Amino acid sequence: MNGPALIVLFSLVAYPIGYSFWVSLHQQNLKRPDDTRFIGLENYFALWRDPTFLSSLRTTGLFVVLVVSMTVVLAMILALVLNESFLGRGVLRSLALLPWAMPGVVNGLMWRTIFDANTGALNGLLTDLGLIDSYQAWLSSPSGAFFLTAFAQVWNTLPFAVILLLAGLSTIPSDLYDAAKVDRAGVFQRFRQITLPWLLHPLLIVLILETMNAFRAFDTIYVLTGGGPGDATSIIAVLNVRTALTYTDFGLGSAYSWVITAFTLIISVGYVAALYRKGSFEV
Amino acid sequence: MTTPNVPPPDVRPPRPRPSRPRRAVPLRYRVPWKKIVVYTLAAFLVLYLVLPFYWIFAMSFMREVDAISVPPNWIPPHPTLDNYLSFLRPDESQALVGGRAIRETPFALGNSMIVASATALLNLVLAVPAAYSFSRLRFTGGRLLLIGYLITRMVPSIAIIIPFYLMIRSMGLLDTYWALILSYLTFSLPVTIWVLKDFFRAVPRELEDAARVDRCGWFRTMWSVFLPVAAPGLVAAAVFSFMTAWSEFMFALFMTSTEAAKTIPVVAANFATDMNTQFTLMAAAGVVAVVPPLILVLIFQRLIVQGMAAGSVKG
């Protein structure tokens, strides 16, 4: 019964995957079509000598950590609030999914109008609140651009994490909490000893999916900063696209892609191993 | 004499009494801390989630002058539908500054609709049998196959975009719906299979056994017993693949070049990269790009969470 799916996937994916790995072992640049030759792992070695790559690796690391930690904390708060019963919960539940409906490109577009140096809402809001005296060019400073890009990315990917955590929360039997209340466990104790252990699995899924997403973040950054100013927001995925599609350096670009793949695989294997040891993972 | 029912005191020592004395007045007013915290957090979250979108929403109903004023107008002072209407018939000045993107928006919306729906539908058709086999049968290589599906998902789309482009070109499918539908299948199908597999496992086997006792064939059993029970999972999976397809940008950028198949993110990016574009038109395009998937999400909100709860969260 796997036939149809297998045929479709295999015929669509197998060749491109194999081909791109093959290309990553070549010197192949559209700008120098005559100079295409097999060079083994040279592209990969070249990456490690390239200061642009090394600095983007640092940027990517910071970006991933920042985005993932902000997403997890915010999503946890949002999911916990949504799990309580209060007036207007249905409305908030629906609103929580709003950013999910927004394509990454549109997300970048939206935040660009908000962060705009001359007319942006952020400047307007902060001035109205009396927090700043004059309009700031937020996206022109490297650190400002970096943090705001991460912020915009978090807004976009938050709902997915919330859905997973909320689904996890809904599977916790409520009598556990009743029992804990009888034992006079405080709010934080209940969270640490009941909620967190039950949420371990969805939390790990959130961690890995958001890490993968952050590693590949491109759409929002492309529209918001294009990787700049300088290389402040040039995370590895942005560099990958630039190398492969703008500089048409297919060989090096493919090597980039496989480095991203390797990172993703390592993280996923770590995740599966962690779950497997806990005995809660079966395929 | 003690009654035999009373347990000896050393087996169950009495709980140490809390040192605090009991409250003398049980009906004293207590500050509802929990309520206060929940409502405060909820209010902040509403602002966080809604304000950014509200900004482009409000902007899309403004005239350009009002949109770029300092200090900003939080409410459109002269509300107008002109920005939306210009997608249908751009006037001369608009045609000059951002004409192509404006004219292409309605087409792109239609294209996105068709491509995303077809992707969702094909995903279900292909993934249901595969997921069913994983949830009910044990077969050699099953685990390996399942992990294999997942691994195809690990390769970033930028890795396969060039060979995929060459493949699609040689099939003569560039700038068609199929180019996009096929490429979106590559990354949504593995996820769909995984989500559905977990969901199907949660459906009790007894249902199918009962149907078989009633002499239902396999297809009847699937169609009228199994799939209806699994409906939340199907809906969740379909919505997920719809959203992926709706938002995808890179493949759409490279596989399409005209309004025959360009999708809404591609056109939206044109608004962003064109320095002349008016803010208000850009905002209107953004709103238009969000509304269809938003409606979908709102309708199926309950089923999505339910589907996830029964499915992948348990693993």
Side-chain angles (χ1 to χ4, degrees):
Chain A
M1 275 184 278
N2 274 289
L6 259 183
I7 291 169
V8 169
L9 261 187
F10 192 79
S11 57
L12 289 177
V13 177
Y15 166 73
I17 288 184
Y19 183 91
S20 87
F21 186 65
W22 185 235
V23 168
S24 81
L25 302 178
H26 285 71
Q27 157 136 344
Q28 187 171 345
N29 190 334
L30 267 198
K31 289 190 179 119
R32 281 172 297 166
D34 305 329
D35 194 19
T36 299
R37 58 197 155 82
F38 184 85
I39 53 171
L41 292 174
E42 186 47 43
N43 278 324
Y44 293 91
F45 295 137
L47 277 185
W48 292 103
R49 291 192 299 267
D50 181 4
T52 328
F53 171 74
L54 294 177
S55 88
S56 99
L57 215 52
R58 202 172 45 240
T59 314
T60 311
L62 280 176
F63 185 79
V64 170
V65 170
L66 191 62
V67 167
V68 171
S69 52
M70 284 202 311
T71 306
V72 167
V73 170
L74 265 175
M76 186 59 109
I77 295 174
L78 189 47
L80 285 174
V81 168
L82 285 178
N83 203 40
E84 297 294 328
S85 56
F86 61 92
L87 203 68
R89 177 170 80 153
V91 179
L92 185 56
R93 254 187 200 221
S94 307
L95 288 179
L97 297 178
L98 166 69
W100 194 35
M102 195 168 280
V105 170
V106 179
N107 185 48
L109 209 81
M110 178 181 85
W111 289 103
R112 223 173 72 161
T113 69
I114 292 175
F115 297 149
D116 190 274
N118 302 313
T119 62
L122 180 63
N123 275 319
L125 186 69
L126 293 179
T127 315
D128 278 3
L129 293 174
L131 293 173
I132 52 172
D133 299 329
S134 60
Y135 277 29
Q136 309 284 319
W138 301 105
L139 294 175
S140 308
S141 84
S143 58
F146 180 78
F147 280 108
L148 292 183
T149 310
F151 187 85
Q153 175 77 12
V154 169
W155 192 83
N156 201 197
T157 55
L158 188 65
F160 193 72
V162 173
I163 294 173
L164 283 169
L165 291 181
L166 195 55
L169 282 176
S170 71
T171 60
I172 305 178
S174 61
D175 38 337
L176 280 183
Y177 288 110
D178 298 338
K181 266 185 202 157
V182 171
D183 285 347
R184 290 165 178 270
V187 180
F188 291 103
Q189 242 180 326
R190 269 177 284 161
F191 178 75
R192 261 215 9 238
Q193 299 187 343
I194 303 173
T195 315
L196 218 46
W198 271 78
L199 277 190
L200 211 55
H201 197 143
L203 210 54
L204 279 168
I205 296 181
V206 167
L207 276 178
I208 189 167
L209 287 180
E210 296 297 341
T211 309
M212 260 170 76
N213 276 340
F215 253 105
R216 296 160 182 204
F218 171 73
D219 303 9
T220 299
I221 301 180
Y222 173 75
V223 179
L224 195 55
T225 64
D231 58 359
T233 52
S234 290
I235 71 164
I236 191 169
V238 175
L239 219 53
N240 190 175
V241 176
R242 205 185 292 153
T243 310
L245 302 175
T246 313
Y247 305 153
T248 60
D249 193 336
F250 292 172
L252 196 62
S254 302
Y256 263 115
S257 308
W258 281 94
V259 170
I260 298 181
T261 310
F263 275 119
T264 313
L265 265 177
I266 291 168
I267 296 167
S268 312
V269 167
Y271 154 77
V272 170
L275 276 186
Y276 201 79
R277 210 171 311 134
K278 280 187 54 62
S280 58
F281 186 83
E282 46 162 331
V283 283
Chain B
M1 286 279 288
T2 52
T3 49
N5 282 344
V6 175
D10 55 300
V11 173
R12 240 178 169 219
R15 273 173 188 285
R17 284 219 153 240
S19 52
R20 206 160 14 128
R22 275 198 168 275
R23 286 210 181 88
V25 192
L27 283 177
R28 209 179 63 171
Y29 176 75
R30 294 178 60 192
V31 183
W33 285 115
K34 189 174 171 185
K35 272 213 164 116
I36 293 175
V37 170
V38 166
Y39 277 100
T40 320
L41 281 177
F44 272 111
L45 289 167
V46 167
L47 289 180
Y48 172 74
L49 292 164
V50 172
L51 271 190
F53 182 69
Y54 171 77
W55 173 246
I56 62 165
F57 185 75
M59 233 181 184
S60 72
F61 292 103
M62 289 185 203
R63 302 178 312 175
E64 188 70 7
V65 205
D66 299 325
I68 58 174
S69 80
V70 176
N73 292 300
W74 300 114
I75 294 164
H78 310 94
T80 168
L81 282 174
D82 281 356
N83 297 310
Y84 292 97
L85 290 176
S86 63
F87 292 135
L88 302 175
R89 40 177 178 71
D91 65 34
E92 276 170 38
S93 67
Q94 286 165 341
L96 206 64
V97 287
R100 226 162 63 108
I102 295 170
R103 197 173 42 78
E104 282 171 347
T105 303
F107 294 100
L109 212 55
N111 294 339
S112 279
M113 240 9 206
I114 292 169
V115 168
S117 314
T119 304
L121 210 66
L122 264 176
N123 252 297
L124 286 190
V125 170
L126 293 169
V128 163
Y132 183 82
S133 74
F134 285 123
S135 72
R136 288 293 186 264
L137 315 169
R138 293 230 162 251
F139 51 96
T140 38
R143 275 172 178 231
L144 215 59
L145 188 60
L146 201 48
I147 291 175
Y149 280 134
L150 199 62
I151 284 178
T152 62
R153 184 70 188 75
M154 305 282 162
V155 183
S157 48
I158 176 71
I160 62 169
I161 199 163
I162 293 162
F164 203 89
Y165 177 89
L166 300 174
M167 227 167 77
I168 291 291
R169 192 177 62 180
S170 71
M171 288 192 276
L173 290 177
L174 278 186
D175 208 24
T176 65
Y177 295 145
W178 279 109
L180 296 181
I181 296 169
L182 291 179
S183 63
Y184 296 165
L185 274 180
T186 62
F187 40 81
S188 51
L189 192 51
V191 182
T192 313
I193 292 175
W194 271 75
V195 170
L196 284 183
K197 161 212 79 156
D198 290 324
F199 194 86
F200 286 178
R201 274 186 191 163
V203 177
R205 253 170 220 267
E206 289 76 26
L207 277 177
E208 289 153 80
D209 296 340
R212 214 159 291 134
V213 171
D214 289 344
R215 288 163 187 274
C216 281
W218 187 79
F219 270 104
R220 260 285 324 255
T221 312
M222 283 296 274
W223 189 253
S224 47
V225 179
F226 186 78
L227 289 181
V229 179
L234 297 179
V235 169
V239 170
F240 274 91
S241 42
F242 183 96
M243 303 293 269
T244 321
W246 185 273
S247 309
E248 204 283 333
F249 173 57
M250 222 185 304
F251 273 92
L253 182 64
F254 284 92
M255 305 288 168
T256 66
S257 49
T258 69
E259 58 197 32
K262 254 190 198 178
T263 57
I264 199 82
V266 179
V267 171
N270 280 352
F271 273 104
T273 46
D274 184 349
M275 288 304 156
N276 291 320
T277 313
Q278 298 171 11
F279 274 117
T280 49
L281 282 173
M282 199 160 99
V287 173
V288 159
V290 174
V291 166
L294 189 60
I295 292 173
L296 195 72
V297 166
L298 293 186
I299 294 175
F300 292 117
Q301 186 237 114
R302 232 165 259 281
L303 286 182
I304 292 168
V305 177
Q306 205 183 321
M308 292 311 289
S312 61
V313 165
K314 281 189 205 143

